[in-house]
Amino acid sequence: MDEKVLVKKCVNAINKGQKTELSVNLTNIDRTFGTILGAEITRKNKNGLADDTITVHCNGAGGQSFGAFIPKGLTLELTGDSNDYLGKGLSGGKIIVKTPHEATFKAEDNIIIGNVALYGATSGEAYINGVAGERFCVRNSGAKAVVEGVGDHALEYMTGGLVVILGETGRNVAAGMSGGIAYIYDPNNDLYEKLNGALVEYSEVNKPYDIKTVRELIENHYKYTGSEKAKMFLDDFKTYIGKFKKIIPHDYKKMMDLIAYYQSQGLDEDQAKVEAFNAAMKGGK
């Protein structure tokens, strides 16, 4: 599909940065959809393109590794569902998966993408209007994602990035997680039973920065997917934000606190990161 359709129709976008929008129908034999197009974008544009330069509206079933490695400037919007490894190695692009308007099921109660989504993602965004399978965001090192529920082993070995989970989780959440932050809806206060707490801590979401971050990501989720659950949260945000928990690795939190301290002393962000690293190596401020 990339070679027959996408690359041919996106020549001006790749070479000149011209805004391009197109629609395609997919079946689950269309594997690694968007990856060859992404490679062509990167060959001609080392740092990718401006956000949403190319938008591909997809309908149907995405095959394995839908949107793998796609770079900045490429947006894939899938109305339907997708197999395993969606967004593997996501590298700056944007992936949106949403249910059809005529769907009679509740998105928040149904799996819409397979296992190991966003494995090894480094940057970019993903908005999933439904539930993901197991091992969501394994080894994510920089992507932002919103999803309405996950299976077992979510956030496994995550080293960076930002994840908001608007529904149920499976067991063994955040096993080996050493970086990044997750905000998880926990209305029954039982997340601690599913959390692998070896490297992480969890707390209430009550600081202005955290509240603002969660709200912005849920707003984006509603904007891109029309999620009923996102709308419910936004309509009574003050109530629902009190039911989220923040998950952050111990060492990562220490580093973030050090960076904030040095920024408060007048250093810019890059300088603060250097000083924070040096201080962490010495064991303190």
Side-chain angles (χ1 to χ4, degrees):
M1 183 71 77
D2 280 56
E3 293 174 321
K4 292 178 180 178
V5 178
L6 299 187
V7 173
K8 291 179 179 179
K9 291 192 175 183
C10 295
V11 170
N12 287 334
I14 296 168
N15 294 328
K16 302 176 183 178
Q18 179 179 307
K19 281 265 188 180
T20 301
E21 200 164 344
L22 62 150
S23 299
V24 297
N25 294 318
L26 298 181
T27 69
N28 60 12
I29 65 170
D30 293 308
R31 299 175 181 173
T32 60
F33 180 85
T35 302
I36 292 175
L37 173 59
E40 290 299 315
I41 292 170
T42 303
R43 285 191 187 99
K44 299 289 180 66
N45 306 272
K46 182 179 179 181
N47 298 316
L49 297 165
D51 289 339
D52 305 316
T53 297
I54 300 173
T55 300
V56 185
H57 303 283
C58 310
N59 289 282
Q64 186 163 306
S65 298
F66 176 90
F69 305 103
I70 65 170
K72 186 175 183 294
L74 175 55
T75 296
L76 302 181
E77 177 193 83
L78 173 63
T79 302
D81 55 29
S82 186
N83 286 356
D84 297 346
Y85 286 100
L86 176 138
K88 177 174 66 177
L90 181 67
S91 301
K94 185 186 299 172
I95 296 176
I96 300 160
V97 184
K98 57 185 182 179
T99 56
H101 291 299
E102 64 273 16
T104 57
F105 58 84
K106 292 182 71 175
E108 64 190 80
D109 295 335
N110 288 271
I111 292 176
I112 195 171
I113 60 173
N115 298 324
V116 208
L118 301 175
Y119 175 86
T122 60
S123 57
E125 303 170 67
Y127 300 94
I128 314 300
N129 178 207
V131 179
E134 296 183 358
R135 291 192 155 89
F136 183 76
C137 274
V138 173
R139 296 192 183 278
N140 174 32
S141 64
K144 295 179 180 179
V146 182
V147 66
E148 299 184 9
V150 293
D152 295 341
H153 315 295
L155 318 180
E156 195 174 32
Y157 303 115
M158 188 164 137
T159 62
L162 185 59
V163 176
V164 174
I165 300 174
L166 303 179
E168 290 291 323
T169 70
R171 63 186 177 87
N172 199 34
V173 178
M177 180 179 174
S178 60
I181 301 173
Y183 300 96
I184 302 177
Y185 182 53
D186 183 30
N188 300 317
N189 288 311
D190 59 0
L191 178 62
Y192 71 93
E193 297 176 354
K194 306 169 186 177
L195 191 67
N196 186 321
L199 298 178
V200 302
E201 58 187 72
Y202 77 103
S203 61
E204 305 292 330
V205 178
N206 50 28
K207 293 182 179 178
Y209 171 81
D210 293 318
I211 293 171
K212 180 174 180 287
T213 298
V214 174
R215 185 179 186 100
E216 286 178 350
L217 282 170
I218 295 177
E219 286 174 343
N220 284 347
H221 187 58
Y222 179 64
K223 171 186 172 182
Y224 293 124
T225 71
S227 164
E228 292 182 4
K229 192 160 195 180
K231 186 177 188 303
M232 180 183 77
F233 285 159
L234 294 171
D235 285 346
D236 192 9
F237 188 73
K238 287 184 179 179
T239 297
Y240 283 106
I241 192 63
K243 299 179 181 180
F244 277 82
K245 296 295 190 306
K246 178 181 180 179
I247 311 301
I248 185 168
H250 304 304
D251 290 342
Y252 187 76
K253 181 177 184 297
K254 291 176 185 176
M255 183 62 73
M256 293 300 99
D257 289 344
L258 281 171
I259 291 171
Y261 167 76
Y262 285 111
Q263 285 182 303
S264 73
Q265 302 302 301
L267 299 183
D268 64 28
E269 184 177 357
D270 289 338
Q271 292 171 326
K273 286 179 179 178
V274 172
E275 291 300 324
F277 175 80
N278 291 335
M281 295 299 290
K282 295 175 182 176
K285 288 193 180 91

